[in-house]
Amino acid sequence: DIIRPSGRSGSTIALGVFTCFMGVVTLLCGMHVPMNLWWWASVKVYPVVAKLLVNRGITTAEAGRDFLYGNVGDLLDPYLLKGMKEAVPLIQDAIATQKRIVIYGDYDVDGITATSLMYRFLKRCGANVSYYIPERQSEGYGLNEEALEHIIQQGTELVITVDCGISSYDIVEGVRDRLNMIITDHHTAPPDIPRAAAVINHKQPDCPYPDKNLSGVGVAFKVCQAVWQERTGAEYLDDMDIVALGTVADVVPLVGENRIIVREGLKKMMTSPNMGIDALVAVAGLQGRKLTTGHIGFTLAPRLNAAGRVTHATRAVELLTAADMATANTIAEELQETNLERQTIERGIHEAARQDVINQGEAAHKVIVVAGEGWHPGVIGIVASRLVEEFYRPSMVISIHDGVGKGSCRSIDNCNIYDALKSAEDLLLQFGGHKQAAGFSIEADKIPALRERLAAYCEANLTAEDYVPIIDIDSELEPGEVTVELVDQIETLEPYGMGNSTPVFAINPIAVQDVYLLGQQKNHCKIILQSQIGPLDAIIWHGADYHREVFPDERVKVAFSLQKNEWQGRISPQLMVQDLALLDEQPIKLTAEGLREMYVIVRSIFRSATAPRYIVESEVLHRHPDNQTNKEAMLSLDVFKELGILQEEATDDGMALYRWCHVKEKLELITSLTFLKYSA
């Protein structure tokens, strides 16, 4: 990866921004600076925080105070939302007259939390209310006619959508004379807004609401606020933990109201959480820890999402609306098992998809298109994301059932995947999405043609530079500057998320002291770096390959975020590595004699037919001949794989294995591409 110091927009920090920061530094040193740079001093922030704020476009005292110290008193008036004054009387009347209300939600975490929030709120108001969430595979996203007809037949008089409905003009039109509907949504509004009784969406035309970043659960929360104001005259601030959970999971910008909501929601999760969230925190092993947006995004949300992907999202709503702790604990345990099932399914599909990419070779050079019969459609989007992370190519994963493929796409920064699909529109049954993610369906026999068409699109629209991932650096640091105090200073910017991403720093150069593998499957890597104030721990999640690429005494450059690590009463800074690259790489030379020596060593490692990969690699590093470098010894394993002597496998729980294969025929080193590359 190319590591560049830049602003969060992805472009190099402008000269004016850099000058502003230099003014901040000189002010701290007691030097004269222009008066217009004194804004940050009144906000009382550390110099590194001042630079991080400037990088995020915050250059005035007022903006700095709003960003750092905004609270629930700064939440906007819900009646600024277009459609709110029409919606509130309808809801009030339905509550008062006990009309049957159905909340129509969605199966992702934003929809699950919005449904739960609205259901809990209306129940609290004494409403006659139930909810409906469509099944992901058979019904798909959003409103559908069959479901609404069923809802009408049940005697429903008011439907409130959450996180969906803004694009359902025709469906709403078909039932509007038989059913009152209030649409609450946050997705981009189409030209034709449904003619529902009320439509609340801050992105619809002529909506004066100043904050355009609310999630679906955020919009539902504003409805609850407005109704509660009418009923009690007070501010509604309950269930902020549910609102925060959905807001973080939907990856909306964590600025403005969203930042306040998430900060307050995280506090509630720590002090008086919703019973379902409390149970979820327990099964995830997070009890007693300070919860962050990272815990929501990578630990809690996936467990809720698993219900919608593998079983049905209503189980997740039942968790968040549970009336007693015993029920909450039971459902949380179920979701934990469902998530493990989802991970197993995902892992199997990812391995198959990854191998397909490797086998395709040049065909996957511009764009990745992989397909599998019977692949679970609930996880193909996750697999596509993982392929982008590994190969940095626009990636499409297709699940084929009965001759029809359902595809999920994820893209890289400079490739608009929606436009790419549009270039192949004639091959598709249907498609939709946006720049970074999309979905489509296609007849299975047209998948090869789709691959060719998309490769041609990428050839015409992308450059070689577009395929190089870029990491934006907030600031370079000296190793001695990485302290617990620095971590404390930058924590004032939390909560992190889209629009306020976790600060990323760089050190260049720094020496490696040691390298270890971590985790039950040994799929994470810990690199100990040398600094003048002591060793620094650097963690690379899913970075097992670094164990075979980075070795003690080598110099590296590293991009990282910072955390505090607490172990046995000791608190130390910990680098969470975004990328790491070697400096001063040594020349590599493979010889037939050296490979014969390594053959004897590797063969002796195996006590049975298979051995964990990390054990084989660790033994190779400790036992290789002195006349071979660590890198040369590790490359011998690649040669042996290419010759058929070693075979990579995995256990059911994901542990990587090597299998020793007895090869009877004569082995020819010229059949190994690795040997040919490094023997010249």
Side-chain angles (χ1 to χ4, degrees):
D1 294 357
I2 293 176
I3 301 177
R4 65 181 181 196
S6 72
R8 307 319 300 164
S9 64
S11 60
T12 305
I13 298 176
L15 179 60
V17 172
F18 180 74
T19 304
C20 180
F21 175 63
M22 291 308 295
V24 170
V25 173
T26 55
L27 179 58
L28 286 170
C29 297
M31 300 170 62
H32 173 73
V33 293
M35 287 299 294
N36 65 350
L37 295 180
W38 283 76
W39 67 267
W40 69 271
S42 67
V43 184
K44 299 178 181 178
V45 294
Y46 297 96
V48 67
V49 176
K51 180 174 183 180
L52 297 174
L53 287 171
V54 170
N55 282 358
R56 286 150 178 77
I58 299 169
T59 57
T60 68
E62 182 181 6
R65 279 190 292 269
D66 288 345
F67 185 84
L68 293 174
Y69 310 122
N71 56 48
V72 292
D74 299 311
L75 292 175
L76 298 171
D77 181 357
Y79 278 97
L80 291 175
L81 282 160
K82 180 181 178 180
M84 191 67 79
K85 70 179 190 302
E86 290 82 16
V88 171
L90 286 171
I91 296 172
Q92 287 277 67
D93 175 69
I95 295 171
T97 59
Q98 288 293 288
K99 290 178 180 175
R100 183 178 177 85
I101 304 172
V102 171
I103 303 160
Y104 194 113
D106 183 33
Y107 43 69
D108 68 2
V109 178
D110 192 17
I112 288 167
T113 52
T115 303
S116 303
L117 170 78
M118 188 66 74
Y119 178 78
R120 286 170 58 87
F121 174 76
L122 292 176
K123 274 290 188 184
R124 180 175 182 176
C125 294
N128 176 18
V129 61
S130 61
Y131 56 85
Y132 182 88
I133 295 180
E135 200 276 324
R136 178 188 289 263
Q137 314 309 334
S138 61
E139 296 180 272
Y141 167 77
L143 295 173
N144 71 79
E145 296 176 17
E146 186 176 342
L148 284 178
E149 288 296 337
H150 177 69
I151 288 170
I152 291 171
Q153 290 170 14
Q154 289 181 320
T156 302
E157 297 179 76
L158 175 63
V159 165
I160 305 173
T161 76
V162 289
D163 193 34
C164 65
I166 195 66
S167 298
S168 302
Y169 181 91
D170 291 339
I171 293 175
V172 173
E173 201 68 14
V175 299
R176 65 189 296 265
D177 60 338
R178 295 177 289 151
L179 182 66
N180 265 340
M181 292 189 68
I182 297 172
I183 291 175
T184 77
D185 202 347
H186 75 117
H187 294 99
T188 302
D192 295 325
I193 303 298
R195 295 196 301 162
V199 177
I200 302 172
N201 183 337
H202 47 296
K203 295 176 183 175
Q204 65 179 310
D206 303 322
C207 180
Y209 203 72
D211 194 326
K212 303 298 184 183
N213 294 315
L214 291 174
S215 61
V217 69
V219 176
F221 176 63
K222 302 308 292 188
V223 174
C224 296
Q225 281 193 308
V227 174
W228 196 247
Q229 279 183 20
E230 291 298 316
R231 295 178 69 84
T232 69
E235 291 293 323
Y236 185 75
L237 300 174
D238 289 357
D239 288 335
M240 292 285 273
D241 48 353
I242 294 178
V243 187
L245 180 52
T247 298
V248 172
D250 211 51
V251 201
V252 291
L254 292 193
V255 296
E257 280 198 296
N258 288 338
R259 181 172 170 82
I260 296 170
I261 287 168
V262 172
R263 183 193 286 133
E264 295 302 316
L266 285 169
K267 289 178 185 176
K268 191 173 188 304
M269 287 184 192
M270 297 290 295
T271 55
S272 57
N274 167 278
M275 281 190 287
I277 292 177
D278 196 26
L280 206 61
V281 166
V283 299
L286 297 177
Q287 274 185 321
R289 299 176 64 176
K290 178 187 175 184
L291 297 178
T292 66
T293 53
H295 292 132
I296 292 177
F298 298 107
T299 306
L300 302 181
R303 284 162 171 77
L304 289 178
N305 227 340
R309 293 185 181 278
V310 179
T311 56
H312 199 287
T314 55
R315 200 58 173 151
V317 177
E318 289 169 6
L319 173 71
L320 297 180
T321 59
D324 60 86
M325 205 65 215
T327 301
N329 287 333
T330 298
I331 300 174
E333 291 287 352
E334 286 181 19
L335 293 182
Q336 174 80 347
E337 292 302 314
T338 302
N339 191 52
L340 293 174
E341 181 184 353
R342 187 270 305 170
Q343 290 174 334
T344 301
I345 295 169
E346 175 197 326
R347 188 161 49 240
I349 295 174
H350 174 252
E351 284 301 318
R354 182 179 182 276
Q355 193 58 52
D356 192 0
V357 174
I358 294 170
N359 293 340
Q360 286 182 31
E362 280 295 312
H365 185 62
K366 295 294 183 183
V367 61
I368 290 172
V369 180
V370 292
E373 189 74 39
W375 284 357
H376 197 299
V379 302
I380 57 176
I382 303 174
V383 173
S385 295
R386 292 187 63 184
L387 293 177
V388 171
E389 290 173 6
E390 182 173 2
F391 296 101
Y392 205 69
R393 299 284 184 270
S395 299
M396 306 187 178
V397 181
I398 305 170
S399 168
I400 301 174
H401 290 268
D402 299 325
V404 175
K406 178 180 179 181
S408 189
C409 319
R410 298 295 184 270
S411 196
I412 58 179
D413 286 344
N414 294 324
C415 178
N416 188 318
I417 202 68
Y418 180 86
D419 289 347
L421 287 177
K422 192 165 183 60
S423 74
E425 187 173 5
D426 57 301
L427 298 174
L428 306 175
L429 297 173
Q430 60 182 23
F431 74 100
H434 50 82
K435 180 179 178 180
Q436 292 298 114
F440 64 92
S441 58
I442 185 173
E443 293 173 355
D445 59 1
K446 293 183 179 178
I447 292 174
L450 175 66
R451 182 181 291 110
E452 292 179 9
R453 186 78 63 85
L454 294 175
Y457 173 89
C458 292
E459 178 71 34
N461 291 276
L462 301 181
T463 66
E465 289 75 19
D466 292 329
Y467 288 98
V468 179
I470 304 267
I471 295 176
D472 293 328
I473 303 301
D474 280 289
S475 179
E476 287 199 30
L477 297 174
E478 292 297 323
E481 295 179 277
V482 180
T483 62
V484 172
E485 290 73 25
L486 175 64
V487 183
D488 287 334
Q489 291 170 16
I490 65 175
E491 279 182 353
T492 58
L493 292 175
E494 293 182 354
Y496 301 128
M498 182 180 174
N500 178 37
S501 55
T502 303
V504 177
F505 303 96
I507 295 176
N508 181 19
I510 189 168
V512 174
Q513 181 174 312
D514 215 337
V515 184
Y516 301 97
L517 289 178
L518 303 174
Q520 188 174 355
Q521 283 82 39
K522 301 297 181 184
N523 55 344
H524 309 303
C525 189
K526 176 179 179 179
I527 299 178
I528 300 178
L529 302 170
Q530 301 173 9
S531 88
Q532 56 266 48
I533 61 172
L536 292 174
D537 290 349
I539 305 297
I540 312 174
W541 297 121
H542 302 289
D545 285 346
Y546 284 96
H547 185 246
R548 49 188 292 118
E549 296 172 1
V550 178
F551 309 105
D553 300 324
E554 293 182 326
R555 297 192 316 150
V556 297
K557 59 180 178 179
V558 57
F560 57 92
S561 59
L562 279 169
Q563 286 184 0
K564 281 188 288 190
N565 181 42
E566 300 185 25
W567 176 251
Q568 295 182 338
R570 178 176 175 267
I571 301 175
S572 60
Q574 185 168 261
L575 281 59
M576 309 307 296
V577 175
Q578 310 292 312
D579 193 30
L580 182 145
L582 282 172
L583 301 170
D584 312 322
E585 291 192 57
Q586 299 298 312
I588 297 170
K589 174 76 171 179
L590 295 183
T591 66
E593 179 58 34
L595 288 169
R596 277 192 286 270
E597 291 179 296
M598 289 307 306
Y599 178 94
V600 174
I601 290 171
V602 175
R603 178 68 188 89
S604 69
I605 294 171
F606 284 83
R607 305 288 189 271
S608 60
T610 62
R613 188 175 76 174
Y614 80 95
I615 289 180
V616 174
E617 293 174 352
S618 296
E619 289 292 308
V620 164
L621 290 174
H622 284 96
R623 295 167 57 180
H624 69 76
D626 292 340
N627 62 355
Q628 294 189 40
T629 66
N630 287 322
K631 184 65 175 177
E632 289 166 348
M634 295 300 277
L635 283 172
S636 69
L637 297 177
D638 292 335
V639 173
F640 297 157
K641 284 189 286 185
E642 292 164 357
L643 295 177
I645 301 170
L646 286 181
Q647 181 177 315
E648 285 197 76
E649 298 178 358
T651 62
D652 291 340
D653 63 356
M655 171 75 78
L657 301 176
Y658 277 134
R659 177 178 292 276
W660 183 266
C661 303
H662 296 280
V663 180
K664 295 180 180 179
E665 63 270 18
K666 183 179 179 181
L667 300 175
E668 297 289 347
L669 283 174
I670 60 171
T671 62
S672 166
L673 294 178
T674 299
F675 178 76
L676 292 177
K677 179 179 179 180
Y678 292 109
S679 62

